């Protein structure tokens, strides 16, 4: 059994990881007193058709560089080392197999992604595998989630960005925590487009990630080291 009590998991393409990702990781960590947040690049997203632009190795390397920003962050290759598609239900099952209770696991997700939860593999039982922490994204307030997913209202709990962590009970049944917070208006899609036209990345990705992108010539129009 792990000695870490509360583990956050932030999954994503991270193509590349950016300050919006680190922002929601930090918001969830503070609001729910998480001991650690795993930055977990997904291998094959079942929700997308296009492959990642950067390789698995590059996306993991950038997650590792970004994790240096905070001692609570760790890169995690759990999905990259699996042959199966990156289904959240399977990933959470593997973490539980390692000894973590479902109420120790907090799957962090932006409101844009959670809006599609009904299309996820093993919905709705996937929601019993962990707490879900849904954080607003520019243009995606959590109120939209409440309106869109009325069947989940009984398990939804809105918490304030600056809530007193001692007041949030997360030890009984898995819940869907909803947090409205000021997250930066950053997306990987925009970052890739910026690199392709030679625009700077200052303020969008950590400096060490920007240096990695430049050094490895990721996302350039005619770079060879990418899939598409
Ligand atoms: P892309 O543009 O390629 O879709 P992205 O910036 O949306 O990339 P993802 O890897 O798709 O990043 O997102 C991983 C997770 O991080 C998702 O749960 C997503 O909702 C969340 N997320 C990404 N960017 C932000 C942001 N700026 N604010 C809040 N949440 C975000
Ligand atoms: Mg996205």
């Amino acid at each position: 059994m792990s000695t870490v009590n509360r583990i956050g998991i932030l999954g994503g393409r991270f193509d590349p990881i950016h300050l919006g990702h680190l922002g929601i990781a930090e918001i969830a960590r503070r609001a729910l007193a998480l001991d650690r947040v795993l930055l977990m690049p997904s291998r094959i997203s079942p929700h997308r058709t296009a492959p990642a632009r950067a390789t698995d190795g590059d996306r993991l390397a950038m997650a590792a560089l970004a994790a240096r920003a905070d001692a609570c962050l760790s890169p995690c290759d759990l999905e990259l080392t699996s042959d199966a598609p990156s289904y959240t239900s399977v990933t959470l099952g593997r973490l539980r197999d390692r000894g973590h209770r479902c109420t120790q696991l907090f799957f962090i997700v932006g409101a844009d992604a959670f809006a599609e939860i009904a299309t996820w593999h093993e919905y709705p039982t996937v929601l019993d595998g962990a707490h879900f922490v849904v954080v607003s994204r520019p243009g995606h307030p959590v109120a939209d989630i409440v309106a869109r997913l009325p069947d989940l209202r009984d398990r939804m709990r809105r918490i304030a960005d600056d809530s007193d962590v001692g007041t949030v009970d997360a030890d009984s049944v898995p819940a869907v925590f909803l947090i409205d917070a000021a997250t930066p208006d950053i997306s990987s899609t925009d970052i890739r487009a910026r690199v392709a036209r030679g625009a700077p990345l200052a303020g969008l990705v950590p400096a060490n990630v920007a240096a990695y992108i430049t050094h490895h010539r990721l996302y350039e129009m005619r770079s060879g080291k990418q899939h598409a």
Side-chain angles (χ1 to χ4, degrees):
M1 180 66 72
S2 164
T3 54
V4 175
N5 268 335
R6 293 185 174 189
I7 301 177
I9 305 119
L10 177 62
R13 283 244 153 172
F14 299 154
D15 192 20
I17 196 161
H18 55 66
L19 294 179
H21 297 130
L22 298 188
I24 69 165
E26 173 61 10
I27 287 160
R29 189 190 68 73
R30 267 194 289 117
L32 289 146
L34 306 181
D35 298 290
R36 192 197 301 172
V37 176
L38 306 178
L39 302 176
M40 189 183 291
S42 55
R43 180 160 169 272
I44 306 161
S45 172
H47 307 293
R48 306 220 191 172
T49 46
R53 288 277 308 274
T55 63
D56 291 357
D58 282 332
R59 291 182 298 119
L60 183 64
M62 290 188 280
L65 289 169
R68 289 192 194 163
D70 189 319
C72 295
L73 297 174
S74 315
C76 178
D77 65 0
L78 190 69
E79 292 193 347
L80 292 181
T81 54
S82 162
D83 286 339
S86 296
Y87 288 124
T88 298
S89 57
V90 174
T91 299
L92 294 176
R94 292 176 72 191
L95 289 168
R96 290 194 305 276
D97 289 347
R98 293 179 178 192
H100 303 296
R101 290 192 308 276
C102 58
T103 51
Q104 288 182 300
L105 300 172
F106 295 74
F107 191 81
I108 304 163
V109 58
D112 61 311
F114 192 79
E116 306 302 325
I117 186 78
T119 68
W120 288 22
H121 188 56
E122 291 182 34
Y123 175 84
T125 48
V126 59
L127 294 170
D128 296 328
H131 293 296
F132 280 66
V133 185
V134 183
V135 183
S136 61
R137 185 169 182 175
H140 299 273
V142 294
D144 288 1
I145 297 292
V146 181
R148 187 180 171 118
L149 297 162
D151 292 353
L152 300 185
R153 274 192 194 160
D154 286 351
R155 62 168 81 209
M156 286 180 182
R157 292 164 64 181
R158 283 181 89 138
I159 57 174
D161 177 15
D162 57 354
S163 65
D164 175 355
V165 293
T167 65
V168 178
D169 164 40
D171 296 330
S172 42
V173 288
V176 175
F177 295 102
L178 301 174
I179 306 175
D180 258 319
T183 51
D185 192 5
I186 301 174
S187 74
S188 301
T189 302
D190 177 57
I191 289 167
R192 293 192 299 270
R194 280 173 161 269
V195 177
R197 64 175 189 267
L201 298 185
L204 302 177
V205 298
N208 55 5
V209 172
Y212 187 97
I213 290 170
T214 304
H215 183 73
H216 294 271
R217 305 191 61 184
L218 302 183
Y219 313 121
E220 291 180 6
M221 286 297 260
R222 297 176 63 80
S223 167
K225 197 183 178 188
Q226 53 197 23
H227 288 146

